Amino acid sequence: MKTRLQDLYANVAVHATEDREHEAALELLLLVMIVDHHITPEELDEIRNITVESGWESPTFSFEQYLGPAMAKVRAAVSGDTIEEFLDSVDARISSSVLRASLFSAARDVAGIDHEIDSQEQNLLGQLAARFD
């Protein structure tokens, strides 16, 4: 009986953890997009492409479904000037070394997609390099 229960629940924590990490990663990429208060369709498309190409989409996580809640969290952090605390939250939720290693590159791709990295984006990228590179 114990073995059957272990088999039944073997992947539950893994999927829950993955979703939590993907939510945090999406929030981080959205922060890169809006930190300069200039949002372009290209930046949003790049974030969407990253989520799809990285295989984050699953029956329990969807870019389109989480975009609204994630954007609300990011806007609150930017408008409330609590970006450092927000980054702490993102950092704490991402334990996958593979995801952590890819986040800085993804963030740099989002920041540079419009061919202009302003001082706010540059500052944020510096903070992300220290945490995720």
Side-chain angles (χ1 to χ4, degrees):
M1 176 73 151
K2 183 179 178 186
T3 303
R4 270 187 29 192
L5 286 176
Q6 285 174 333
D7 291 342
L8 183 63
Y9 290 103
N11 294 319
V12 173
V14 171
H15 291 303
T17 302
E18 282 180 352
D19 287 350
R20 193 175 80 156
E21 287 182 326
H22 295 155
E23 289 171 0
L26 177 57
E27 291 168 17
L28 179 72
L29 296 177
L30 291 174
L31 176 63
V32 172
M33 179 179 76
I34 72 166
V35 74
D36 65 351
H37 304 284
H38 181 74
I39 300 171
T40 67
E42 293 81 16
E43 289 171 321
L44 191 57
D45 287 343
E46 181 66 12
I47 295 170
R48 182 180 287 111
N49 290 338
I50 289 168
T51 64
V52 170
E53 291 172 6
S54 298
W56 298 354
E57 295 283 324
S58 73
T60 56
F61 178 84
S62 163
F63 170 83
E64 297 299 335
Q65 288 181 328
Y66 192 62
L67 178 60
M71 187 64 84
K73 287 182 180 181
V74 173
R75 287 181 189 262
V78 171
S79 67
D81 199 27
T82 58
I83 292 175
E84 192 67 33
E85 292 86 355
F86 180 83
L87 290 175
D88 290 343
S89 168
V90 168
D91 197 359
R93 289 181 284 155
I94 300 176
S95 58
S96 165
S97 58
V98 173
L99 182 56
R100 291 182 73 82
S102 67
L103 273 179
F104 177 72
S105 177
R108 194 176 50 220
D109 289 348
V110 171
I113 196 75
D114 59 2
H115 306 291
E116 184 178 326
I117 298 178
D118 78 355
S119 62
Q120 291 169 311
E121 288 172 320
Q122 192 67 20
N123 182 40
L124 180 59
L125 287 173
Q127 292 175 2
L128 298 182
R131 288 177 186 255
F132 297 105
D133 194 23

